[in-house]
């Protein structure tokens, strides 16, 4: 009898351990994305907006660290489309990264393509969006990566979680907006509203009844996953009377710190905890522009949602809501608040920052103005003083190829698509953030990449310029996370500014907000083969050419080499 008992116990324990193991097995998640025109009514008007699965914003994808995503994208819209999985490392799967004409040709109307990739070692909040023209104005959604099965957050588990997607809305077709700007050479029209989870909120016309409600209970902890999915505007974000504890950014955990306001450049994500520790009532959640360029027009409206305590008192009269408490937001040009916020980010513990550097790069980023070409009419040169707006990195205004993607051209050895002579330093040294000579305002167009050997340790000084106007540039690197080891104002000085380098616990990000008329220094190890776009995440700037690409060579053996292209990769 005792023998039977012990056999049963051992068998039961084996069953439990195998069940636990199967629970921890990574999963494969299959999704279908149908890109299509959908009637969307905002600001009193209905537009045929491009959406995924008829949803605006698109579906939220939730997975665990270690899981694989298989997303079949079918294009039923009238525009070309691609989907970029913003911040996903895409280890050896560059074919799934998504930027149009960089890692793939676009998915043509009527065609489809399946993105397949595994999330490795990332936890927190990322997002996905169209990476073709200005489709990401409406084609975007959250990508939430939970800890592996059996693991937990490095902070107490919150009672609830809510993704907060900040967006921009045009009372027009965004594709028409960018096409008109491309035609005229002028700056595109600014947006007509900002949105929270697709809704402008009750400070805009015809928007009150659809204002997003974020529920909270007294005493509970709520994790907000805040994403700036706007096209062209860094945004301040706050909640009346509530403090945020920042615990993550760009799918990396951070050393927790408290703040009453966040600033997110387009592309950035920030995970924050809020506590239900205020008197039960209704509080506005609000976002509005951080407008760092002194002379550039911007959308100066404010989007709102409502943080509503479940035990909030009911209004005295039926049908009348109690007005929420409004927060105070920083001034539009409050760079001091931005600096105080961004410089608080740290990794939770000591990290392995590359200290020996193989590639020491210095990239200037900023605007430019092209003189009106001789064969253009005056209505095609409506930039300042009869020019056309441009933008560049190291004076090269990036031109996307149109017959092949850069990755296809590299993989198949197709000549003439790109050159490998992107400059490691500015072609000309000048006072980058001072009064720049007009002779330096006109960048040279080119499709140039910079070659990196597998495993090389890279440092990039990203230096803002004051050509036409200085502003805060959110610079995003595809395929990599990087350490932000320092930032500052003015021109980076290698003799004195290296003393500011944090090589102990710098934050790990995929998008760095380069300070207005300033610089940031980032470091990473080039351990992911492929072609990787680095660009300003203000879409108007990438439209004008503020981008470049790294070509990271294969290393040794299969595990250090790019996978073969999938059979359904779109052809140009």
């Amino acid at each position: 009898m005792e023998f039977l008992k012990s056999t049963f116990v051992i068998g039961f324990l084996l069953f439990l351990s195998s069940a636990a193991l199967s629970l921890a097995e990574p999963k494969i998640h299959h999704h279908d994305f149908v890109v299509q025109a959908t009637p969307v009514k905002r600001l009193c008007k209905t537009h045929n907006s491009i959406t995924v699965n008829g949803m605006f914003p698109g579906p939220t994808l939730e997975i665990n660290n270690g899981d694989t995503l298989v997303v079949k994208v079918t294009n039923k819209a009238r525009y070309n489309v691609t989907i970029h999985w913003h911040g996903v490392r895409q280890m050896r799967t560059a074919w799934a990264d998504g930027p149009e004409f960089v890692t793939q040709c676009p998915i043509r109307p009527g065609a489809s393509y399946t993105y397949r990739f595994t999330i490795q070692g990332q936890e927190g909040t990322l997002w996905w969006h169209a990476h073709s023209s200005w489709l990401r104005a409406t084609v975007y959604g959250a990508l939430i990566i939970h800890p592996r099965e059996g693991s937990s957050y490095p902070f107490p588990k919150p009672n609830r979680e809510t993704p907060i997607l900040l967006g921009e809305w045009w009372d027009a077709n965004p594709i028409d907006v960018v096409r008109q700007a491309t035609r005229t050479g002028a700056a595109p029209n600014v947006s007509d509203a900002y949105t929270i989870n697709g809704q402008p909120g009750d400070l805009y016309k015809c928007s009150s009844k659809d204002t997003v409600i974020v529920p909270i209970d007294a005493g509970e902890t709520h994790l907000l996953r805040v994403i700036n999915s706007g096209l062209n505007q860094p945004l301040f974000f706050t909640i009346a009377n509530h403090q945020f504890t920042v615990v993550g950014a760009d799918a990396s955990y951070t050393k927790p710190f408290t703040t009453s306001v966040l600033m997110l450049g387009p592309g950035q994500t920030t995970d924050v905890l809020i506590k239900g520790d205020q008197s039960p009532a209704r509080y506005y959640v609000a976002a509005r522009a951080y407008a760092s360029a002194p002379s550039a027009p911007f959308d100066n409206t404010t989007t709102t949602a409502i943080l509503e305590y479940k035990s909030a008192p009911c209004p005295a009269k039926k049908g009348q809501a109690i007005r929420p408490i409004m927060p105070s937001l920083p001034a539009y040009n409050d760079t001091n608040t931005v600096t105080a916020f961004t410089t608080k980010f740290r990794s939770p513990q000591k990290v392995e920052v590359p200290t020996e550097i193989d590639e020491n790069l210095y990239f200037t980023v900023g605007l430019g103005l092209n003189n009106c070409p001789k064969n253009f009419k005056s209505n095609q040169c409506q930039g300042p003083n009869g020019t056309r707006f441009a933008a560049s990195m190291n004076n090269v205004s990036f031109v996307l190829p149109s017959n092949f993607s850069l990755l296809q051209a590299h993989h198949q050895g197709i000549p003439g698509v790109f050159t490998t002579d992107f400059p490691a330093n500015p072609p000309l040294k000048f006072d980058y953030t001072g009064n720049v000579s007009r002779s330096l305002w006109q960048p040279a167009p080119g499709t140039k990449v910079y070659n990196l050997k597998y495993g090389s340790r890279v440092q990039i000084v990203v230096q803002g310029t004051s050509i036409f106007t200085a502003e805060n540039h959110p610079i995003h690197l595809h395929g990599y996370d990087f350490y932000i080891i320092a930032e500052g104002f003015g021109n980076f000085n290698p003799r004195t500014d290296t003393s500011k380098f944090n090589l102990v616990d710098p934050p790990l990000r995929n998008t760095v907000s380069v300070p207005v008329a300033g610089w940031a220094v980032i470091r990473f190890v080039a351990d992911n083969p492929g072609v990787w776009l680095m660009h300003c995440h203000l879409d108007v700037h990438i439209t004008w050419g503020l981008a470049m690409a790294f070509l990271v060579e294969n290393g040794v053996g299969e595990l250090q080499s790019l996978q073969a292209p999938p059979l359904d990769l779109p052809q140009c």
Side-chain angles (χ1 to χ4, degrees), residues 255-395:
K255 199 168 278 177
F257 67 90
T258 56
T259 178
S260 58
V261 65
L262 313 179
M263 193 289 288
L264 298 94
Q268 292 185 318
T269 73
T270 308
D271 290 349
V272 296
L273 298 173
I274 59 166
K275 282 205 160 67
D277 57 4
Q278 297 299 304
S279 56
R282 306 171 87 225
Y283 299 87
Y284 270 129
V285 178
R288 78 175 188 193
Y290 165 48
S292 61
S295 53
F298 66 96
D299 176 353
N300 63 0
T301 61
T302 302
T303 179
T304 54
I306 298 167
L307 183 74
E308 188 172 78
Y309 280 73
K310 288 188 167 178
S311 49
C314 294
K317 281 191 183 167
K318 204 175 175 192
Q320 273 188 358
I322 293 172
R323 189 132 179 97
I325 297 159
M326 192 71 188
S328 62
L329 279 146
Y332 296 116
N333 63 350
D334 188 349
T335 294
N336 289 341
T337 290
V338 172
T339 307
F341 173 68
T342 56
T343 52
K344 278 183 182 168
F345 282 87
R346 295 276 186 279
S347 283
Q349 59 269 320
K350 190 177 188 309
V351 289
E352 298 229 354
V353 188
T355 47
E356 301 288 314
I357 299 298
D358 304 303
E359 297 277 0
N360 209 337
L361 309 176
Y362 195 115
F363 290 176
T364 55
V365 300
L367 301 189
L369 295 174
N370 281 333
N371 296 333
C372 195
K374 296 233 179 340
N375 57 333
F376 276 42
K377 299 183 180 125
S378 59
N379 66 356
Q380 294 173 284
C381 298
Q382 293 182 27
N385 303 318
T387 59
R388 291 177 60 83
F389 270 109
S392 67
M393 296 178 79
N394 275 357
N395 206 47

Side-chain angles (χ1 to χ4, degrees), residues 134 136-137 168 170 174 228-233 266 537-540:
W134 274 22
R136 81 171 178 90
E168 275 182 279
W170 275 261
N228 185 349
S229 6
L231 249 72
N232 293 319
Q233 195 60 61
H537 222 279
L538 305 177
D539 269 30
V540 60

Side-chain angles (χ1 to χ4, degrees), residues 399-426:
V399 179
L400 285 169
S402 54
N403 296 328
F404 299 95
S405 74
L406 297 174
L407 189 60
Q408 279 173 299
H410 163 59
H411 187 72
Q412 296 170 24
I414 300 162
V417 178
F418 62 86
T419 57
T420 55
D421 57 344
F422 185 86
N425 292 284

Side-chain angles (χ1 to χ4, degrees), residues 129-335:
H129 60 80
H131 212 300
S132 180
S133 185
W134 274 22
L135 280 185
R136 81 171 178 90
T138 51
V139 178
Y140 63 86
L143 171 55
I144 294 169
I145 309 163
H146 297 287
R148 290 178 190 275
E149 293 275 4
S151 309
S152 58
Y153 299 123
F155 46 84
K157 192 173 189 312
N159 302 85
R160 67 176 85 217
E161 303 181 11
T162 303
I164 302 281
L165 293 110
L166 309 176
E168 275 182 279
W169 177 262
W170 275 261
D171 205 1
N173 178 350
I175 303 293
D176 291 344
V177 173
V178 68
R179 282 181 177 171
Q180 183 195 4
T182 305
R183 214 170 29 247
T184 63
N189 291 341
V190 298
S191 55
D192 297 288
Y194 299 112
T195 57
I196 294 175
N197 292 351
Q199 294 294 343
D202 55 13
L203 304 185
Y204 296 91
K205 59 186 181 182
C206 307
S207 303
S208 289
K209 68 176 176 42
D210 296 310
T211 299
V212 169
I213 304 290
V214 180
I216 194 167
D217 258 345
E220 77 175 12
T221 301
H222 199 141
L223 174 62
L224 301 181
R225 301 175 176 275
V226 189
I227 302 165
N228 185 349
S229 6
L231 249 72
N232 293 319
Q233 195 60 61
L235 294 167
F236 287 118
F237 176 82
T238 191
I239 300 178
N241 295 13
H242 288 73
Q243 288 278 315
F244 301 120
T245 301
V246 176
V247 291
D250 293 0
S252 289
Y253 295 117
T254 62
K255 199 168 278 177
F257 67 90
T258 56
T259 178
S260 58
V261 65
L262 313 179
M263 193 289 288
L264 298 94
Q268 292 185 318
T269 73
T270 308
D271 290 349
V272 296
L273 298 173
I274 59 166
K275 282 205 160 67
D277 57 4
Q278 297 299 304
S279 56
R282 306 171 87 225
Y283 299 87
Y284 270 129
V285 178
R288 78 175 188 193
Y290 165 48
S292 61
S295 53
F298 66 96
D299 176 353
N300 63 0
T301 61
T302 302
T303 179
T304 54
I306 298 167
L307 183 74
E308 188 172 78
Y309 280 73
K310 288 188 167 178
S311 49
C314 294
K317 281 191 183 167
K318 204 175 175 192
Q320 273 188 358
I322 293 172
R323 189 132 179 97
I325 297 159
M326 192 71 188
S328 62
L329 279 146
Y332 296 116
N333 63 350
D334 188 349
T335 294

Side-chain angles (χ1 to χ4, degrees), residues 21-239:
L21 275 174
S22 68
L23 267 179
E25 280 291 303
K27 295 187 180 69
I28 299 174
H29 303 258
H30 292 265
H31 295 276
D32 285 295
F33 276 15
V34 178
V35 179
Q36 62 193 48
T38 305
V40 176
K41 188 175 183 182
R42 298 290 184 275
L43 308 181
C44 319
K45 259 198 249 169
T46 300
H47 291 277
N48 244 358
S49 298
I50 307 301
T51 66
V52 167
N53 299 351
M55 299 166 66
F56 172 63
T60 293
L61 305 185
E62 296 198 49
I63 60 170
N64 290 81
N65 181 2
D67 288 355
T68 295
L69 269 169
V70 180
V71 185
K72 183 181 181 183
V73 177
T74 303
N75 186 5
K76 293 191 176 176
R78 61 193 174 107
Y79 305 108
N80 293 337
V81 74
T82 64
I83 301 292
H84 170 52
W85 313 92
H86 185 110
V88 172
R89 281 293 319 266
Q90 296 291 2
M91 298 302 290
R92 303 176 51 238
T93 51
W95 304 107
D97 190 43
E100 181 179 57
F101 293 116
V102 177
T103 58
Q104 68 169 96
C105 295
I107 307 166
R108 305 288 181 189
S112 63
Y113 175 49
T114 301
Y115 293 89
R116 299 172 180 84
F117 55 92
T118 300
I119 302 287
Q120 301 177 43
Q122 294 181 282
E123 291 179 12
T125 306
L126 295 175
W127 62 301
W128 57 264
H129 60 80
H131 212 300
S132 180
S133 185
W134 274 22
L135 280 185
R136 81 171 178 90
T138 51
V139 178
Y140 63 86
L143 171 55
I144 294 169
I145 309 163
H146 297 287
R148 290 178 190 275
E149 293 275 4
S151 309
S152 58
Y153 299 123
F155 46 84
K157 192 173 189 312
N159 302 85
R160 67 176 85 217
E161 303 181 11
T162 303
I164 302 281
L165 293 110
L166 309 176
E168 275 182 279
W169 177 262
W170 275 261
D171 205 1
N173 178 350
I175 303 293
D176 291 344
V177 173
V178 68
R179 282 181 177 171
Q180 183 195 4
T182 305
R183 214 170 29 247
T184 63
N189 291 341
V190 298
S191 55
D192 297 288
Y194 299 112
T195 57
I196 294 175
N197 292 351
Q199 294 294 343
D202 55 13
L203 304 185
Y204 296 91
K205 59 186 181 182
C206 307
S207 303
S208 289
K209 68 176 176 42
D210 296 310
T211 299
V212 169
I213 304 290
V214 180
I216 194 167
D217 258 345
E220 77 175 12
T221 301
H222 199 141
L223 174 62
L224 301 181
R225 301 175 176 275
V226 189
I227 302 165
N228 185 349
S229 6
L231 249 72
N232 293 319
Q233 195 60 61
L235 294 167
F236 287 118
F237 176 82
T238 191
I239 300 178

